[in-house]
């Protein structure tokens, strides 16, 4: 399903990490795909309120939890810089879909990184 929100479709997810050799591109590509799937789910399911949005963001956060093993295997990790970049992209997604009152920490509350 193509992303219909033009602000989201043109956003360079995880941009700050791609320029750093510490983060392998093939793992970042998987992270970017998680974020794009989150956008697709938001567009398909159209959450009516913040609790419904948080269900979707928590599921995507769980996928990032699973991705941490791939970061580790590649000699990298989801550390402070990566955490901030990922969290900023979750916040961007929430606000781009009109959830300007979303709590940035609650968006990724299920994180293990």
């Amino acid at each position: 399903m193509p992303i219909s929100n033009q602000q989201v479709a043109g956003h360079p997810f995880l941009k700050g990490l791609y320029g750093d050799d510490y983060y392998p591109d093939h793992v970042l590509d998987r992270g970017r795909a998680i974020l794009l799937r989150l956008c697709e789910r938001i567009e398909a399911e159209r959450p009516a309120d913040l609790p419904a949005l948080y269900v979707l963001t928590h599921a995507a956060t769980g996928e990032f939890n699973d991705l941490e093993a791939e970061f580790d295997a590649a000699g990298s990790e989801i550390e402070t810089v990566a955490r901030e970049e990922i969290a900023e992209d979750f916040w961007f997604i929430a606000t781009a879909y009109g959830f300007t009152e979303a709590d940035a920490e609650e968006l990724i509350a299920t994180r293990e990184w």
Side-chain angles (χ1 to χ4, degrees):
M1 169 180 172
I3 304 292
S4 64
N5 182 313
Q6 293 307 303
Q7 183 182 10
V8 170
H11 185 73
F13 290 109
L14 306 177
K15 179 181 179 181
L17 303 181
Y18 274 104
D20 188 331
D21 290 340
Y22 181 67
Y23 307 104
D25 285 356
H26 73 279
V27 181
L28 293 176
D29 291 346
R30 300 226 20 229
R32 182 177 179 277
I34 291 168
L35 294 168
L36 289 171
R37 276 194 306 277
L38 171 59
C39 296
E40 290 171 353
R41 286 193 69 192
I42 291 170
E43 290 188 11
E45 298 179 26
R46 302 195 183 280
D49 53 21
L50 285 174
L53 174 68
Y54 294 147
V55 168
L56 300 180
T57 63
H58 292 173
T61 301
E63 291 185 63
F64 270 101
N65 291 343
D66 295 341
L67 190 60
E68 188 162 19
E70 289 189 45
F71 275 99
D72 289 340
S76 183
E77 66 180 310
I78 301 177
E79 42 67 69
T80 304
V81 173
R83 275 194 299 271
E84 292 300 316
E85 187 77 15
I86 294 165
E88 286 176 20
D89 279 340
F90 271 85
W91 173 248
F92 167 79
I93 291 168
T95 58
Y97 286 102
F99 293 96
T100 57
E101 299 299 317
D103 180 281
E105 286 299 316
E106 184 58 33
L107 290 169
I108 56 171
T110 57
R111 71 182 168 96
E112 297 171 358
W113 26 271

